[in-house]
């Protein structure tokens, strides 16, 4: 599906547009059903994207181009 | 005096130079003056310093001049530090300037104003700002590895949007080489490319501390970045050029992290909210359609379909009666004209002619009858005469004279004796009737 290539923002925008469009009414029923299905599928996909994303650890880019984990200095009470 | 008493120019000049160089005061001179004859040169700078009554030549070598943050200008009052010496080839004494500060405002402040003016003229501040992605996947942070900035950003991101990948690109954030490392990291991030947002950050400090973020190469690198940049340099009151050219300015590193990321929980809620709104809208929409269908179903015409054609019925009625009327009128008219025609036909009838001919026929008939009667009468008269004549000859006349006619029962006239028999019934016809006789005797006579 071509939609797979769309960014999270684009998909969210699509979903918002669909909702607004449906809320405004005046949508032919067939189109509304189609949009509704699309909207539900988009919302699930968006939710899944976020839910599936794992919590990340901050990396540090070394001069040689390698990334290593950056330890936060939380314990040092630095602010 | 012989020639040996004469000094060479070189010797004298060397002597004078030595006087300058060993002088305990002229080696460290603090001088205040106005720049004159200044024209920016590629390497060493030559100019004069003057006041109302005096003037001194000055030179500033490239190595020293490169440390001057502001751009010297003609007529600018400056405070310089240096030494006085003599330049042998031209025989001029001059001030070798080691450092220069603008009089009044701080050098850095002046430099900052100058760079702002320059960049403003180049239109860099008016360049369109890039949109900061709402849902970044990877954020690059340029700051010191050891400072509080990265810590604040990490903490904030972890709290708000822990699914974003933060990558620190360590850079010096103060000192002469800081701008170089910042520019280098900016270029590197753009070369790697797969970042959504860059945060450039540094904690608060003096104008000198923040200076790298006021340098033109940093400003240019920020402007040239393909990736949107959020800048958070110094405290809220400090505005650096980096802040001004960045796509978004944040007051603090925490604010920068907040501007760079959404709150994951909010996003999820927003999506759920959208889904609820979607469902509600859909239900409402369907309800609307439902209502519409019901409304139509309750429509008078659907409820009473006969009303659809009531109008037509009436129309048909109307038309029918009009048709009848028209047809009646037409029939009447036709009949009328038929009568007319019949009347005219009657007028043209042959009856009168027939009558005439009838009369004629009758007339002729009468005349024929009259004629015939006359003829008959004539003939009858003739006949009567003849008949009278004949009558006188008739047997009946004979009878009247006493003769009779005898017949048998069969009516056969009995003329002779032999026709008779005895005891035969004989009918005698006399003039005025019949007589029945019975024969008694027959006698024959011979006369003849």
């Amino acid at each position: 599906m071509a939609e797979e290539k769309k960014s999270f923002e684009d998909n969210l925008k699509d979903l918002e547009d669909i909702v607004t469009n449906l809320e405004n009414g005046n949508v032919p029923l067939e189109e509304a059903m189609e949009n509704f299905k699309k909207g539900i599928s988009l919302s699930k996909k968006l939710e899944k994207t976020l839910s599936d994303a794992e919590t990340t650890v901050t990396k540090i880019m070394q001069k040689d181009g390698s990334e290593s984990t950056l330890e936060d200095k939380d314990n040092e009470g630095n602010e | 005096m012989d020639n040996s008493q004469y000094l060479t120019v070189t010797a004298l000049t060397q002597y004078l130079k030595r006087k300058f160089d060993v002088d305990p005061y002229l080696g460290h001179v603090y001088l205040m003056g106005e720049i004159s004859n200044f024209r920016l040169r590629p390497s060493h700078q030559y100019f004069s310093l003057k006041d109302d009554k005096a003037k001194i030549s000055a030179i500033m070598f490239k190595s020293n001049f490169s440390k001057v943050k502001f751009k010297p200008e003609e007529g600018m009052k400056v405070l310089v530090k240096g030494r006085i010496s003599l330049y042998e080839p031209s025989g001029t004494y001059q001030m070798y300037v080691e450092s220069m500060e603008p009089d009044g405002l701080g050098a850095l402040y002046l430099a900052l104003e100058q760079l702002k003016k320059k960049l403003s003229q180049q239109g860099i501040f008016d360049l369109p700002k890039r949109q900061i992605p709402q849902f970044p996947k990877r954020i690059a942070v340029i700051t010191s590895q050891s400072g509080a900035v990265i810590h604040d950003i990490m903490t904030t991101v972890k709290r708000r949007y822990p699914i974003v990948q933060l990558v620190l690109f360590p850079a010096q954030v103060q000192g002469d080489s800081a701008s170089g490392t910042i520019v280098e990291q900016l270029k590197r991030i753009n070369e790697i490319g797969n970042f959504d947002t860059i945060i450039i950050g540094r904690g608060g400090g003096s104008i000198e501390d923040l200076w790298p973020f006021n340098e033109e190469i940093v400003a240019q690198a920020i402007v040239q970045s393909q990736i949107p940049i959020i800048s958070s340099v110094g405290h809220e009151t400090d505005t650096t050029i980096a802040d001004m050219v960045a796509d978004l300015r944040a007051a603090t590193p925490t604010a920068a992290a907040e501007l760079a990321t959404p709150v994951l929980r909010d996003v999820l809620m927003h999506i759920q909210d959208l889904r609820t709104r979607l469902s509600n809208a859909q239900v409402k929409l369907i309800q609307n359609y439902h209502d519409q269908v019901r409304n139509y179903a309750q429509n008078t015409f659907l409820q009473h379909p006969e009303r659809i054609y009531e109008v037509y019925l009436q129309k048909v009625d109307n038309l029918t009666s009009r048709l009848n009327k028209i047809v009646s009128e037409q029939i009447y008219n036709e009949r009328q004209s038929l009568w007319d025609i019949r009347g005219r036909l009657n007028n043209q009838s042959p009856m009168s002619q027939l009558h005439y001919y009838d009369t004629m026929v009758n007339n002729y008939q009468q005349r024929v009858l009259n004629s015939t009667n006359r003829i008959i009468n004539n003939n009858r008269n003739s006949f009567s005469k003849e008949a009278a004549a004949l009558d006188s000859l008739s047997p009946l006349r004979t009878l009247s004279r006493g003769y009779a006619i005898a017949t048998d029962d069969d009516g056969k006239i009995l003329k002779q004796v032999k026709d008779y028999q005895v005891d035969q019934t004989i009918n005698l016809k006399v003039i005025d009737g019949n007589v029945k006789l019975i024969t008694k005797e027959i006698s024959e006579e011979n006369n003849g």
Side-chain angles (χ1 to χ4, degrees), chain B residues 16-23 25-31 49 56-58 80-87 92-98:
Chain B
L16 288 173
K17 180 173 161 56
R18 186 177 148 71
K19 282 288 174 192
F20 279 109
D21 290 345
V22 297
D23 186 274
Y25 301 109
L26 296 179
H28 300 281
V29 175
Y30 294 80
L31 183 65
L49 292 166
I56 184 170
S57 293
V80 300
K81 198 167 78 179
R83 62 189 171 87
I84 309 293
S85 186
L86 190 141
Y87 182 56
T92 52
Y93 71 91
Q94 53 190 9
M95 176 142 189
Y96 290 80
V97 180
E98 285 154 16

Side-chain angles (χ1 to χ4, degrees), chain A residues 57-58 69-76 78, chain B residues 147-148 150-155 158:
Chain A
V57 178
T58 304
T69 303
L70 178 68
E71 300 296 336
D72 194 9
K73 305 171 296 174
D74 229 355
N75 302 335
E76 299 172 23
N78 196 336
Chain B
I150 186 64
H151 167 74
D152 290 352
I153 292 173
M154 283 166 74
T155 309
K158 196 172 173 185

Side-chain angles (χ1 to χ4, degrees), chain B residues 54 57 111 156 159 223 297 305 317 320 324 329-330 341-342 360 382 404 431 433 436 446:
Chain B
S57 293
T156 308
R159 169 167 55 83
V223 167
D317 267 359
T320 306
N324 280 341
E329 274 172 9
Q330 200 147 7
I341 289 170
R342 193 188 283 174
M360 289 264 286
S382 299
I431 192 75
K436 280 187 192 261
N446 289 340

Side-chain angles (χ1 to χ4, degrees), chain A residues 6-62:
Chain A
K6 281 195 170 179
S7 69
F8 189 88
E9 277 94 335
D10 290 341
N11 279 329
L12 185 64
K13 179 78 168 48
D14 284 353
L15 176 58
E16 281 167 344
D17 287 348
I18 285 171
V19 171
T20 311
N21 192 28
L22 283 189
E23 281 176 342
N24 286 343
N26 295 331
V27 184
L29 189 58
E30 282 82 359
E31 195 186 321
M33 299 298 282
E34 199 61 39
N35 283 344
F36 176 71
K37 265 161 62 187
K38 195 176 161 195
I40 290 293
S41 122
L42 272 177
S43 77
K44 283 181 178 159
K45 192 158 92 182
L46 288 169
E47 209 167 29
K48 192 169 185 301
T49 304
L50 295 180
S51 308
D52 287 359
E54 288 174 9
T55 300
T56 62
V57 178
T58 304
K59 299 279 177 67
I60 178 164
M61 182 65 75
Q62 305 294 356

Side-chain angles (χ1 to χ4, degrees), chain B residues 345-359:
Chain B
L345 186 63
N346 277 342
N347 289 344
Q348 299 300 319
S349 164
M351 284 306 286
S352 59
Q353 213 164 357
L354 274 179
H355 191 72
Y356 169 73
Y357 284 121
D358 197 34
T359 310

Side-chain angles (χ1 to χ4, degrees), chain B residues 27-158:
Chain B
H28 300 281
V29 175
Y30 294 80
L31 183 65
M32 178 171 67
E34 192 175 295
I35 295 176
S36 171
N37 298 329
F38 181 84
R39 181 169 61 82
L40 191 64
R41 289 176 170 82
S43 54
H44 314 308
Q45 305 301 320
Y46 303 93
F47 52 96
S48 303
L49 292 166
K50 65 173 189 180
D51 58 20
D52 290 346
K53 295 187 177 111
K55 180 172 169 179
I56 184 170
S57 293
I59 176 174
M60 195 166 187
F61 290 119
K62 190 183 179 183
S63 58
N64 289 320
F65 187 70
S66 69
K67 290 177 190 151
V68 176
K69 304 293 188 191
F70 69 98
K71 195 175 123 197
E73 285 169 14
E74 185 75 18
M76 185 181 279
K77 279 200 169 175
V78 290
L79 303 170
V80 300
K81 198 167 78 179
R83 62 189 171 87
I84 309 293
S85 186
L86 190 141
Y87 182 56
E88 296 163 55
S90 65
T92 52
Y93 71 91
Q94 53 190 9
M95 176 142 189
Y96 290 80
V97 180
E98 285 154 16
S99 69
M100 185 192 292
E101 290 273 321
D103 188 20
L105 300 167
L108 292 179
Y109 182 81
L110 183 64
L112 179 59
E113 291 308 310
Q114 285 173 339
L115 183 56
K116 277 183 189 170
K117 194 172 161 193
K118 180 181 172 187
L119 294 178
S120 174
Q121 279 164 359
Q122 290 175 359
I124 281 175
F125 298 132
D126 303 328
L127 290 175
K129 302 297 188 190
R130 284 160 297 228
Q131 194 72 35
I132 308 298
Q134 231 184 321
F135 305 99
K137 292 189 179 66
R138 288 167 64 82
I139 297 176
V141 182
I142 301 177
T143 188
S144 157
Q145 186 175 346
S146 57
V149 172
I150 186 64
H151 167 74
D152 290 352
I153 292 173
M154 283 166 74
T155 309
T156 308
V157 165
K158 196 172 173 185

